[in-house]
């Protein structure tokens, strides 16, 4: 389909040729000047209508393509939101297990260190490390939850 610019150029060329023919017919005396003006105005109106019709068809096609693209993107976002919900659920299930494992690990480590006599130094180091890991897990789950909220809203 030709672009609106090409249509305007073609219409200008055809309009110029039509004016030249009407002028020639008026000079020869085959057509009255009033009739020539009416024919010229009628041709301009019909050309304008044709231009508008083709421009609207072109815009309608663009709108339909954009609508299809938006629907595809919405479908992908819905799939991503579902995946994020599944990941968040898995992280929620994993976090308590990790916390329990960290507590158990801390208790086991304390028992071993107490038997070695180095209970305070090493237990504090391990406890800080586990707390840092738990904070990282909490931060990630909160980030995932906020991303999921943004995607669904």
């Amino acid at each position: 389909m030709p672009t609106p610019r090409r249509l305007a150029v073609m219409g200008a060329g055809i309009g110029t040729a039509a004016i030249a023919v009407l002028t020639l017919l008026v000079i020869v005396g085959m057509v009255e000047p009033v009739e020539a003006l009416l024919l010229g105005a009628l041709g301009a109106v019909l050309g304008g209508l044709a231009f508008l019709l083709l421009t609207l068809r072109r815009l309608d096609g663009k709108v339909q393509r954009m609508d299809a693209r938006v629907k595809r993107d919405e479908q992908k976002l819905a799939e991503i939101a579902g995946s994020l919900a599944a990941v968040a659920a898995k992280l929620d299930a994993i976090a308590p297990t990790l916390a329990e494992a960290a507590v158990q690990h801390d208790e086991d480590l304390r028992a071993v260190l107490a038997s070695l006599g180095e209970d305070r130094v090493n237990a504090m180091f391990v406890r800080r490390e586990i707390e840092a890991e738990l904070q990282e897990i909490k931060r990630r789950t909160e980030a995932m939850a906020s991303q999921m909220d943004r995607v669904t809203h």
Side-chain angles (χ1 to χ4, degrees):
M1 176 175 270
T3 64
R5 185 176 294 163
R6 284 187 182 173
L7 288 174
V9 169
M10 287 183 348
I14 292 171
T16 303
I19 290 173
V21 168
L22 283 175
T23 305
L24 183 64
L25 289 175
V26 169
I27 291 174
V28 173
M30 293 182 70
V31 177
E32 294 292 319
V34 173
E35 292 173 347
L37 287 174
L38 286 174
L39 285 172
L42 180 64
V45 168
L46 288 175
L49 287 174
F51 179 76
L52 285 175
L53 177 69
L54 291 173
T55 303
L56 286 176
R57 280 195 63 196
R58 183 177 172 87
L59 288 175
D60 185 51
K62 287 182 179 183
V63 167
Q64 286 178 351
R65 286 191 300 274
M66 283 191 271
D67 187 45
R69 188 179 319 128
V70 165
K71 286 180 182 176
R72 280 193 314 267
D73 290 346
E74 285 176 349
Q75 183 181 7
K76 288 178 185 176
L77 283 174
E79 290 173 6
I80 290 171
S83 298
L84 285 176
V87 167
K90 286 180 183 178
L91 285 175
D92 289 342
I94 291 172
T97 306
L98 286 176
E100 291 173 12
V103 169
Q104 182 64 39
H105 178 38
D106 194 25
E107 290 174 4
D108 292 346
L109 191 57
R110 268 193 216 155
V112 169
L113 291 176
S115 69
L116 295 174
E118 300 173 0
D119 135 9
R120 290 193 150 205
V121 175
N122 291 329
M124 292 302 289
F125 175 73
V126 171
R127 181 179 205 101
R128 287 181 188 154
E129 185 177 311
I130 290 172
E131 287 175 354
E133 290 176 3
L134 285 174
Q135 287 175 352
E136 178 65 18
I137 290 171
K138 286 179 184 177
R139 184 190 64 78
R140 287 185 182 183
T141 57
E142 289 172 359
M144 283 293 220
S146 67
Q147 284 179 353
M148 188 172 69
D149 286 343
R150 276 188 261 137
V151 168
T152 57
H153 296 287

mmCIF file with all atom_site columns, all heavy atoms in Angstrom, residues 7 18 26 39-40 43-44 46 52 62 64 69 72 75-76 89 95 106 110 130 142:
data_model
loop_
_atom_site.group_PDB
_atom_site.id
_atom_site.type_symbol
_atom_site.label_atom_id
_atom_site.label_alt_id
_atom_site.label_comp_id
_atom_site.label_asym_id
_atom_site.label_entity_id
_atom_site.label_seq_id
_atom_site.pdbx_PDB_ins_code
_atom_site.Cartn_x
_atom_site.Cartn_y
_atom_site.Cartn_z
_atom_site.occupancy
_atom_site.B_iso_or_equiv
_atom_site.pdbx_formal_charge
_atom_site.auth_seq_id
_atom_site.auth_comp_id
_atom_site.auth_asym_id
_atom_site.auth_atom_id
_atom_site.pdbx_PDB_model_num
ATOM 1   N N   . LEU A 1 7   ? 0.818   9.103   -2.055  1.00 0.00 ? 7   LEU A N   1
ATOM 2   C CA  . LEU A 1 7   ? -0.542  9.380   -2.515  1.00 0.00 ? 7   LEU A CA  1
ATOM 3   C C   . LEU A 1 7   ? -0.735  10.873  -2.771  1.00 0.00 ? 7   LEU A C   1
ATOM 4   O O   . LEU A 1 7   ? -1.369  11.269  -3.760  1.00 0.00 ? 7   LEU A O   1
ATOM 5   C CB  . LEU A 1 7   ? -1.566  8.900   -1.474  1.00 0.00 ? 7   LEU A CB  1
ATOM 6   C CG  . LEU A 1 7   ? -1.747  7.389   -1.348  1.00 0.00 ? 7   LEU A CG  1
ATOM 7   C CD1 . LEU A 1 7   ? -2.681  7.078   -0.186  1.00 0.00 ? 7   LEU A CD1 1
ATOM 8   C CD2 . LEU A 1 7   ? -2.305  6.817   -2.626  1.00 0.00 ? 7   LEU A CD2 1
ATOM 9   N N   . ALA A 1 18  ? -5.438  17.294  -14.554 1.00 0.00 ? 18  ALA A N   1
ATOM 10  C CA  . ALA A 1 18  ? -6.869  17.532  -14.722 1.00 0.00 ? 18  ALA A CA  1
ATOM 11  C C   . ALA A 1 18  ? -7.158  19.020  -14.921 1.00 0.00 ? 18  ALA A C   1
ATOM 12  O O   . ALA A 1 18  ? -7.997  19.395  -15.750 1.00 0.00 ? 18  ALA A O   1
ATOM 13  C CB  . ALA A 1 18  ? -7.624  17.002  -13.499 1.00 0.00 ? 18  ALA A CB  1
ATOM 14  N N   . VAL A 1 26  ? -11.924 24.552  -21.676 1.00 0.00 ? 26  VAL A N   1
ATOM 15  C CA  . VAL A 1 26  ? -12.571 25.866  -21.567 1.00 0.00 ? 26  VAL A CA  1
ATOM 16  C C   . VAL A 1 26  ? -12.105 26.768  -22.701 1.00 0.00 ? 26  VAL A C   1
ATOM 17  O O   . VAL A 1 26  ? -12.888 27.491  -23.318 1.00 0.00 ? 26  VAL A O   1
ATOM 18  C CB  . VAL A 1 26  ? -12.290 26.504  -20.196 1.00 0.00 ? 26  VAL A CB  1
ATOM 19  C CG1 . VAL A 1 26  ? -12.722 27.973  -20.177 1.00 0.00 ? 26  VAL A CG1 1
ATOM 20  C CG2 . VAL A 1 26  ? -13.023 25.753  -19.111 1.00 0.00 ? 26  VAL A CG2 1
ATOM 21  N N   . LEU A 1 39  ? -16.423 20.795  -12.010 1.00 0.00 ? 39  LEU A N   1
ATOM 22  C CA  . LEU A 1 39  ? -15.726 19.523  -12.228 1.00 0.00 ? 39  LEU A CA  1
ATOM 23  C C   . LEU A 1 39  ? -14.414 19.478  -11.436 1.00 0.00 ? 39  LEU A C   1
ATOM 24  O O   . LEU A 1 39  ? -14.056 18.451  -10.855 1.00 0.00 ? 39  LEU A O   1
ATOM 25  C CB  . LEU A 1 39  ? -15.452 19.303  -13.720 1.00 0.00 ? 39  LEU A CB  1
ATOM 26  C CG  . LEU A 1 39  ? -16.664 18.900  -14.563 1.00 0.00 ? 39  LEU A CG  1
ATOM 27  C CD1 . LEU A 1 39  ? -16.286 18.899  -16.051 1.00 0.00 ? 39  LEU A CD1 1
ATOM 28  C CD2 . LEU A 1 39  ? -17.170 17.540  -14.151 1.00 0.00 ? 39  LEU A CD2 1
ATOM 29  N N   . GLY A 1 40  ? -13.693 20.604  -11.417 1.00 0.00 ? 40  GLY A N   1
ATOM 30  C CA  . GLY A 1 40  ? -12.443 20.670  -10.653 1.00 0.00 ? 40  GLY A CA  1
ATOM 31  C C   . GLY A 1 40  ? -12.693 20.500  -9.158  1.00 0.00 ? 40  GLY A C   1
ATOM 32  O O   . GLY A 1 40  ? -11.968 19.763  -8.466  1.00 0.00 ? 40  GLY A O   1
ATOM 33  N N   . GLY A 1 43  ? -13.625 16.891  -8.477  1.00 0.00 ? 43  GLY A N   1
ATOM 34  C CA  . GLY A 1 43  ? -12.426 16.043  -8.521  1.00 0.00 ? 43  GLY A CA  1
ATOM 35  C C   . GLY A 1 43  ? -11.577 16.210  -7.278  1.00 0.00 ? 43  GLY A C   1
ATOM 36  O O   . GLY A 1 43  ? -11.039 15.234  -6.736  1.00 0.00 ? 43  GLY A O   1
ATOM 37  N N   . ALA A 1 44  ? -11.461 17.458  -6.772  1.00 0.00 ? 44  ALA A N   1
ATOM 38  C CA  . ALA A 1 44  ? -10.675 17.700  -5.557  1.00 0.00 ? 44  ALA A CA  1
ATOM 39  C C   . ALA A 1 44  ? -11.320 17.021  -4.358  1.00 0.00 ? 44  ALA A C   1
ATOM 40  O O   . ALA A 1 44  ? -10.639 16.402  -3.533  1.00 0.00 ? 44  ALA A O   1
ATOM 41  C CB  . ALA A 1 44  ? -10.544 19.201  -5.323  1.00 0.00 ? 44  ALA A CB  1
ATOM 42  N N   . LEU A 1 46  ? -13.389 14.404  -4.394  1.00 0.00 ? 46  LEU A N   1
ATOM 43  C CA  . LEU A 1 46  ? -13.245 12.942  -4.530  1.00 0.00 ? 46  LEU A CA  1
ATOM 44  C C   . LEU A 1 46  ? -11.809 12.498  -4.239  1.00 0.00 ? 46  LEU A C   1
ATOM 45  O O   . LEU A 1 46  ? -11.592 11.465  -3.596  1.00 0.00 ? 46  LEU A O   1
ATOM 46  C CB  . LEU A 1 46  ? -13.668 12.500  -5.930  1.00 0.00 ? 46  LEU A CB  1
ATOM 47  C CG  . LEU A 1 46  ? -15.166 12.551  -6.215  1.00 0.00 ? 46  LEU A CG  1
ATOM 48  C CD1 . LEU A 1 46  ? -15.434 12.195  -7.674  1.00 0.00 ? 46  LEU A CD1 1
ATOM 49  C CD2 . LEU A 1 46  ? -15.919 11.629  -5.297  1.00 0.00 ? 46  LEU A CD2 1
ATOM 50  N N   . LEU A 1 52  ? -8.220  10.324  2.284   1.00 0.00 ? 52  LEU A N   1
ATOM 51  C CA  . LEU A 1 52  ? -8.623  10.032  3.659   1.00 0.00 ? 52  LEU A CA  1
ATOM 52  C C   . LEU A 1 52  ? -8.922  8.555   3.858   1.00 0.00 ? 52  LEU A C   1
ATOM 53  O O   . LEU A 1 52  ? -8.547  7.964   4.869   1.00 0.00 ? 52  LEU A O   1
ATOM 54  C CB  . LEU A 1 52  ? -9.853  10.863  4.041   1.00 0.00 ? 52  LEU A CB  1
ATOM 55  C CG  . LEU A 1 52  ? -9.592  12.338  4.323   1.00 0.00 ? 52  LEU A CG  1
ATOM 56  C CD1 . LEU A 1 52  ? -10.907 13.054  4.573   1.00 0.00 ? 52  LEU A CD1 1
ATOM 57  C CD2 . LEU A 1 52  ? -8.665  12.505  5.499   1.00 0.00 ? 52  LEU A CD2 1
ATOM 58  N N   . LYS A 1 62  ? -2.134  -0.323  11.227  1.00 0.00 ? 62  LYS A N   1
ATOM 59  C CA  . LYS A 1 62  ? -1.123  -0.095  12.254  1.00 0.00 ? 62  LYS A CA  1
ATOM 60  C C   . LYS A 1 62  ? -1.699  -0.330  13.645  1.00 0.00 ? 62  LYS A C   1
ATOM 61  O O   . LYS A 1 62  ? -1.049  -0.929  14.509  1.00 0.00 ? 62  LYS A O   1
ATOM 62  C CB  . LYS A 1 62  ? -0.573  1.329   12.161  1.00 0.00 ? 62  LYS A CB  1
ATOM 63  C CG  . LYS A 1 62  ? 0.345   1.550   10.983  1.00 0.00 ? 62  LYS A CG  1
ATOM 64  C CD  . LYS A 1 62  ? 0.895   2.958   10.970  1.00 0.00 ? 62  LYS A CD  1
ATOM 65  C CE  . LYS A 1 62  ? 1.836   3.145   9.790   1.00 0.00 ? 62  LYS A CE  1
ATOM 66  N NZ  . LYS A 1 62  ? 2.442   4.480   9.790   1.00 0.00 ? 62  LYS A NZ  1
ATOM 67  N N   . GLN A 1 64  ? -4.172  -2.294  14.452  1.00 0.00 ? 64  GLN A N   1
ATOM 68  C CA  . GLN A 1 64  ? -4.369  -3.736  14.650  1.00 0.00 ? 64  GLN A CA  1
ATOM 69  C C   . GLN A 1 64  ? -3.058  -4.431  14.984  1.00 0.00 ? 64  GLN A C   1
ATOM 70  O O   . GLN A 1 64  ? -3.015  -5.320  15.847  1.00 0.00 ? 64  GLN A O   1
ATOM 71  C CB  . GLN A 1 64  ? -4.999  -4.352  13.403  1.00 0.00 ? 64  GLN A CB  1
ATOM 72  C CG  . GLN A 1 64  ? -6.459  -4.007  13.239  1.00 0.00 ? 64  GLN A CG  1
ATOM 73  C CD  . GLN A 1 64  ? -7.053  -4.580  11.968  1.00 0.00 ? 64  GLN A CD  1
ATOM 74  O OE1 . GLN A 1 64  ? -6.337  -5.105  11.117  1.00 0.00 ? 64  GLN A OE1 1
ATOM 75  N NE2 . GLN A 1 64  ? -8.362  -4.471  11.832  1.00 0.00 ? 64  GLN A NE2 1
ATOM 76  N N   . ARG A 1 69  ? 0.408   -6.804  19.235  1.00 0.00 ? 69  ARG A N   1
ATOM 77  C CA  . ARG A 1 69  ? 1.671   -6.770  19.984  1.00 0.00 ? 69  ARG A CA  1
ATOM 78  C C   . ARG A 1 69  ? 1.410   -6.587  21.484  1.00 0.00 ? 69  ARG A C   1
ATOM 79  O O   . ARG A 1 69  ? 2.034   -7.240  22.317  1.00 0.00 ? 69  ARG A O   1
ATOM 80  C CB  . ARG A 1 69  ? 2.554   -5.641  19.469  1.00 0.00 ? 69  ARG A CB  1
ATOM 81  C CG  . ARG A 1 69  ? 3.947   -5.657  20.056  1.00 0.00 ? 69  ARG A CG  1
ATOM 82  C CD  . ARG A 1 69  ? 4.852   -4.551  19.521  1.00 0.00 ? 69  ARG A CD  1
ATOM 83  N NE  . ARG A 1 69  ? 4.719   -4.333  18.110  1.00 0.00 ? 69  ARG A NE  1
ATOM 84  C CZ  . ARG A 1 69  ? 4.492   -3.140  17.548  1.00 0.00 ? 69  ARG A CZ  1
ATOM 85  N NH1 . ARG A 1 69  ? 4.380   -2.066  18.293  1.00 0.00 ? 69  ARG A NH1 1
ATOM 86  N NH2 . ARG A 1 69  ? 4.393   -3.012  16.244  1.00 0.00 ? 69  ARG A NH2 1
ATOM 87  N N   . ARG A 1 72  ? 0.196   -9.865  22.936  1.00 0.00 ? 72  ARG A N   1
ATOM 88  C CA  . ARG A 1 72  ? 1.311   -10.808 23.124  1.00 0.00 ? 72  ARG A CA  1
ATOM 89  C C   . ARG A 1 72  ? 2.125   -10.431 24.359  1.00 0.00 ? 72  ARG A C   1
ATOM 90  O O   . ARG A 1 72  ? 2.496   -11.300 25.152  1.00 0.00 ? 72  ARG A O   1
ATOM 91  C CB  . ARG A 1 72  ? 2.218   -10.812 21.894  1.00 0.00 ? 72  ARG A CB  1
ATOM 92  C CG  . ARG A 1 72  ? 1.725   -11.634 20.737  1.00 0.00 ? 72  ARG A CG  1
ATOM 93  C CD  . ARG A 1 72  ? 2.818   -11.853 19.692  1.00 0.00 ? 72  ARG A CD  1
ATOM 94  N NE  . ARG A 1 72  ? 3.571   -10.677 19.341  1.00 0.00 ? 72  ARG A NE  1
ATOM 95  C CZ  . ARG A 1 72  ? 3.298   -9.860  18.327  1.00 0.00 ? 72  ARG A CZ  1
ATOM 96  N NH1 . ARG A 1 72  ? 2.258   -10.088 17.564  1.00 0.00 ? 72  ARG A NH1 1
ATOM 97  N NH2 . ARG A 1 72  ? 4.060   -8.810  18.078  1.00 0.00 ? 72  ARG A NH2 1
ATOM 98  N N   . GLN A 1 75  ? 0.306   -11.331 27.517  1.00 0.00 ? 75  GLN A N   1
ATOM 99  C CA  . GLN A 1 75  ? 0.363   -12.776 27.752  1.00 0.00 ? 75  GLN A CA  1
ATOM 100 C C   . GLN A 1 75  ? 1.722   -13.158 28.339  1.00 0.00 ? 75  GLN A C   1
ATOM 101 O O   . GLN A 1 75  ? 1.800   -13.944 29.294  1.00 0.00 ? 75  GLN A O   1
ATOM 102 C CB  . GLN A 1 75  ? 0.119   -13.526 26.452  1.00 0.00 ? 75  GLN A CB  1
ATOM 103 C CG  . GLN A 1 75  ? 0.084   -15.022 26.617  1.00 0.00 ? 75  GLN A CG  1
ATOM 104 C CD  . GLN A 1 75  ? -0.143  -15.731 25.284  1.00 0.00 ? 75  GLN A CD  1
ATOM 105 O OE1 . GLN A 1 75  ? -0.156  -15.123 24.238  1.00 0.00 ? 75  GLN A OE1 1
ATOM 106 N NE2 . GLN A 1 75  ? -0.313  -17.030 25.354  1.00 0.00 ? 75  GLN A NE2 1
ATOM 107 N N   . LYS A 1 76  ? 2.792   -12.585 27.813  1.00 0.00 ? 76  LYS A N   1
ATOM 108 C CA  . LYS A 1 76  ? 4.123   -12.875 28.349  1.00 0.00 ? 76  LYS A CA  1
ATOM 109 C C   . LYS A 1 76  ? 4.253   -12.388 29.793  1.00 0.00 ? 76  LYS A C   1
ATOM 110 O O   . LYS A 1 76  ? 4.841   -13.077 30.630  1.00 0.00 ? 76  LYS A O   1
ATOM 111 C CB  . LYS A 1 76  ? 5.194   -12.207 27.480  1.00 0.00 ? 76  LYS A CB  1
ATOM 112 C CG  . LYS A 1 76  ? 5.370   -12.880 26.137  1.00 0.00 ? 76  LYS A CG  1
ATOM 113 C CD  . LYS A 1 76  ? 6.390   -12.156 25.290  1.00 0.00 ? 76  LYS A CD  1
ATOM 114 C CE  . LYS A 1 76  ? 6.488   -12.749 23.913  1.00 0.00 ? 76  LYS A CE  1
ATOM 115 N NZ  . LYS A 1 76  ? 7.412   -11.991 23.049  1.00 0.00 ? 76  LYS A NZ  1
ATOM 116 N N   . ALA A 1 89  ? 6.971   -18.761 46.028  1.00 0.00 ? 89  ALA A N   1
ATOM 117 C CA  . ALA A 1 89  ? 6.464   -19.846 46.880  1.00 0.00 ? 89  ALA A CA  1
ATOM 118 C C   . ALA A 1 89  ? 7.595   -20.809 47.252  1.00 0.00 ? 89  ALA A C   1
ATOM 119 O O   . ALA A 1 89  ? 7.689   -21.254 48.401  1.00 0.00 ? 89  ALA A O   1
ATOM 120 C CB  . ALA A 1 89  ? 5.345   -20.588 46.164  1.00 0.00 ? 89  ALA A CB  1
ATOM 121 N N   . ALA A 1 95  ? 13.090  -20.941 52.871  1.00 0.00 ? 95  ALA A N   1
ATOM 122 C CA  . ALA A 1 95  ? 13.609  -20.076 53.936  1.00 0.00 ? 95  ALA A CA  1
ATOM 123 C C   . ALA A 1 95  ? 13.483  -20.692 55.328  1.00 0.00 ? 95  ALA A C   1
ATOM 124 O O   . ALA A 1 95  ? 14.469  -20.688 56.087  1.00 0.00 ? 95  ALA A O   1
ATOM 125 C CB  . ALA A 1 95  ? 12.936  -18.706 53.877  1.00 0.00 ? 95  ALA A CB  1
ATOM 126 N N   . ASP A 1 106 ? 24.332  -24.238 63.969  1.00 0.00 ? 106 ASP A N   1
ATOM 127 C CA  . ASP A 1 106 ? 24.878  -23.413 65.048  1.00 0.00 ? 106 ASP A CA  1
ATOM 128 C C   . ASP A 1 106 ? 24.983  -24.228 66.342  1.00 0.00 ? 106 ASP A C   1
ATOM 129 O O   . ASP A 1 106 ? 26.008  -24.159 67.045  1.00 0.00 ? 106 ASP A O   1
ATOM 130 C CB  . ASP A 1 106 ? 23.990  -22.183 65.246  1.00 0.00 ? 106 ASP A CB  1
ATOM 131 C CG  . ASP A 1 106 ? 24.655  -21.126 66.098  1.00 0.00 ? 106 ASP A CG  1
ATOM 132 O OD1 . ASP A 1 106 ? 25.904  -21.095 66.153  1.00 0.00 ? 106 ASP A OD1 1
ATOM 133 O OD2 . ASP A 1 106 ? 23.924  -20.323 66.705  1.00 0.00 ? 106 ASP A OD2 1
ATOM 134 N N   . ARG A 1 110 ? 28.422  -25.228 68.195  1.00 0.00 ? 110 ARG A N   1
ATOM 135 C CA  . ARG A 1 110 ? 28.664  -24.857 69.595  1.00 0.00 ? 110 ARG A CA  1
ATOM 136 C C   . ARG A 1 110 ? 29.101  -26.055 70.426  1.00 0.00 ? 110 ARG A C   1
ATOM 137 O O   . ARG A 1 110 ? 30.001  -25.952 71.262  1.00 0.00 ? 110 ARG A O   1
ATOM 138 C CB  . ARG A 1 110 ? 27.378  -24.286 70.201  1.00 0.00 ? 110 ARG A CB  1
ATOM 139 C CG  . ARG A 1 110 ? 27.283  -22.817 70.073  1.00 0.00 ? 110 ARG A CG  1
ATOM 140 C CD  . ARG A 1 110 ? 26.175  -22.293 70.942  1.00 0.00 ? 110 ARG A CD  1
ATOM 141 N NE  . ARG A 1 110 ? 25.580  -21.190 70.207  1.00 0.00 ? 110 ARG A NE  1
ATOM 142 C CZ  . ARG A 1 110 ? 24.355  -20.783 70.358  1.00 0.00 ? 110 ARG A CZ  1
ATOM 143 N NH1 . ARG A 1 110 ? 23.556  -21.392 71.188  1.00 0.00 ? 110 ARG A NH1 1
ATOM 144 N NH2 . ARG A 1 110 ? 23.917  -19.769 69.675  1.00 0.00 ? 110 ARG A NH2 1
ATOM 145 N N   . ILE A 1 130 ? 25.920  -16.964 59.334  1.00 0.00 ? 130 ILE A N   1
ATOM 146 C CA  . ILE A 1 130 ? 24.568  -17.496 59.095  1.00 0.00 ? 130 ILE A CA  1
ATOM 147 C C   . ILE A 1 130 ? 23.546  -16.363 59.080  1.00 0.00 ? 130 ILE A C   1
ATOM 148 O O   . ILE A 1 130 ? 22.641  -16.340 58.239  1.00 0.00 ? 130 ILE A O   1
ATOM 149 C CB  . ILE A 1 130 ? 24.219  -18.556 60.158  1.00 0.00 ? 130 ILE A CB  1
ATOM 150 C CG1 . ILE A 1 130 ? 25.073  -19.809 59.922  1.00 0.00 ? 130 ILE A CG1 1
ATOM 151 C CG2 . ILE A 1 130 ? 22.742  -18.923 60.106  1.00 0.00 ? 130 ILE A CG2 1
ATOM 152 C CD1 . ILE A 1 130 ? 24.949  -20.837 61.015  1.00 0.00 ? 130 ILE A CD1 1
ATOM 153 N N   . GLU A 1 142 ? 12.043  -10.632 49.484  1.00 0.00 ? 142 GLU A N   1
ATOM 154 C CA  . GLU A 1 142 ? 11.302  -9.369  49.450  1.00 0.00 ? 142 GLU A CA  1
ATOM 155 C C   . GLU A 1 142 ? 11.422  -8.710  48.085  1.00 0.00 ? 142 GLU A C   1
ATOM 156 O O   . GLU A 1 142 ? 10.454  -8.141  47.581  1.00 0.00 ? 142 GLU A O   1
ATOM 157 C CB  . GLU A 1 142 ? 11.811  -8.432  50.542  1.00 0.00 ? 142 GLU A CB  1
ATOM 158 C CG  . GLU A 1 142 ? 11.435  -8.870  51.942  1.00 0.00 ? 142 GLU A CG  1
ATOM 159 C CD  . GLU A 1 142 ? 12.120  -8.042  53.024  1.00 0.00 ? 142 GLU A CD  1
ATOM 160 O OE1 . GLU A 1 142 ? 12.897  -7.135  52.706  1.00 0.00 ? 142 GLU A OE1 1
ATOM 161 O OE2 . GLU A 1 142 ? 11.849  -8.329  54.191  1.00 0.00 ? 142 GLU A OE2 1
#
